Amino acid sequence: MDKKLLIVGNWKMHLNVHQSSLLVHRLQERLSGHRSLEVVIAPSMLTLQPLSQQIDRRRLKLCAQDAYFKDDGPYTGEVSFAMLGDLVQYALIGHSARRLYFGEDLDTVRDKVQAAIRNNITPIICIGETKQERDAGETKQVLHDQLTTALMNITSKEIERIVIAYEPVWAISTFDGILAKPSDAQKALRYIRSQVEDLYGKRVAEAMRLLYGGSVDNHDVRSYLELPEVDGVLVGAASLNYQKFVAIVNQAHQIQTERK
Ligand code: PEP
């Protein structure tokens, strides 16, 4: 199947406008723009506007880390998907940091997915279990609940634009070597694809791009990208280092070439 691998860098709450511009400059000097790959960065909200003028869209695309689900109104402090429509092509929705630190619940994630679709932004819906849920044997139930609520009311046409990222919360930003085994990632992603198949059929499920995320770096990216269910990676910390991120993109390109 001819799916482009998707490599997404989540810069989280790091880098000011100047630092972000410098990182984009360094990335663009080194990324040659492979047709078989999409390379996407998710910088802070503040930098999306200036970066949208700086980026070369053949090499990089922009992603919002979050946005509010209403299109406009008296929601002080918020930025809507409608406002981002001209700037970004993708948006992370339901990242575990949003769920954990900002109390984002299943219904809010569902509303944000619909707002993104309404405004022509491709949602990258992040789902995954916590360590406690995993230890309690609840992984499948958690994935099922997060997935089915997020996709509620999404039509069979709209589903074609959606990307799902499996990010086990216990494996995110761990600097102490607690990584998901590729077999864990494969098992969860296969389950997610089977759920999408139950809801939308085999063709849609096979065509959907599924990402893996959780402390992926240039040393282990190959072990995830080689999995049959993986169509890309969501990279946090390592995406702030241009050498690591470029090495990740180059390995993805190599793997894509080998797959053909
Ligand atoms: C993320 O932010 O989605 C992520 C996976 O972060 P990290 O790579 O740092 O674990």
Side-chain angles (χ1 to χ4, degrees), residues 65-206:
Q65 294 178 18
D66 182 43
Y68 193 54
F69 58 85
K70 299 276 189 183
D71 286 347
D72 70 337
Y75 307 104
T76 305
E78 294 296 321
V79 173
S80 69
F81 288 94
M83 291 167 173
L84 293 174
D86 297 337
L87 302 180
V88 303
Q89 198 162 329
Y90 289 92
L92 301 181
I93 298 184
H95 190 278
S96 63
R98 303 293 319 166
R99 298 184 197 254
L100 285 177
Y101 306 134
F102 302 98
E104 218 165 84
D105 61 14
L106 298 178
D107 293 346
T108 308
V109 172
R110 176 203 60 206
D111 291 347
K112 289 187 175 188
V113 171
Q114 281 163 22
I117 291 284
R118 187 166 71 237
N119 289 290
N120 271 325
I121 294 172
T122 298
I124 301 176
I125 305 172
C126 304
I127 63 175
E129 79 287 0
T130 61
K131 176 161 189 329
Q132 208 182 6
E133 289 161 344
R134 174 181 163 85
D135 291 346
E138 294 167 0
T139 300
K140 279 190 176 172
Q141 189 60 50
V142 170
L143 295 179
H144 173 270
D145 293 350
Q146 291 183 348
L147 186 72
T148 51
T149 331
L151 298 182
M152 207 180 272
N153 307 328
I154 293 295
T155 66
S156 50
K157 189 82 202 128
E158 292 164 345
I159 189 74
E160 292 175 4
R161 294 166 43 204
I162 286 178
V163 177
I164 309 280
Y166 170 59
E167 298 211 297
V169 180
W170 48 273
I172 294 184
S173 293
T174 58
F175 301 105
D176 47 10
I178 304 173
L179 298 176
K181 289 194 222 109
S183 56
D184 290 329
Q186 170 71 9
K187 205 164 124 190
L189 287 163
R190 182 172 292 154
Y191 175 71
I192 292 167
R193 214 181 281 284
S194 74
Q195 292 294 295
V196 175
E197 182 172 341
D198 287 352
L199 293 169
Y200 294 95
K202 198 171 168 65
R203 190 191 59 79
V204 166
E206 281 177 357

Side-chain angles (χ1 to χ4, degrees), residues 206-227:
E206 281 177 357
M208 177 175 268
R209 283 189 294 178
L210 300 185
L211 311 186
Y212 175 72
S215 303
V216 171
D217 70 12
N218 47 319
H219 301 298
D220 56 27
V221 66
R222 179 168 268 276
S223 65
Y224 296 111
L225 284 178
E226 278 178 344
L227 298 170

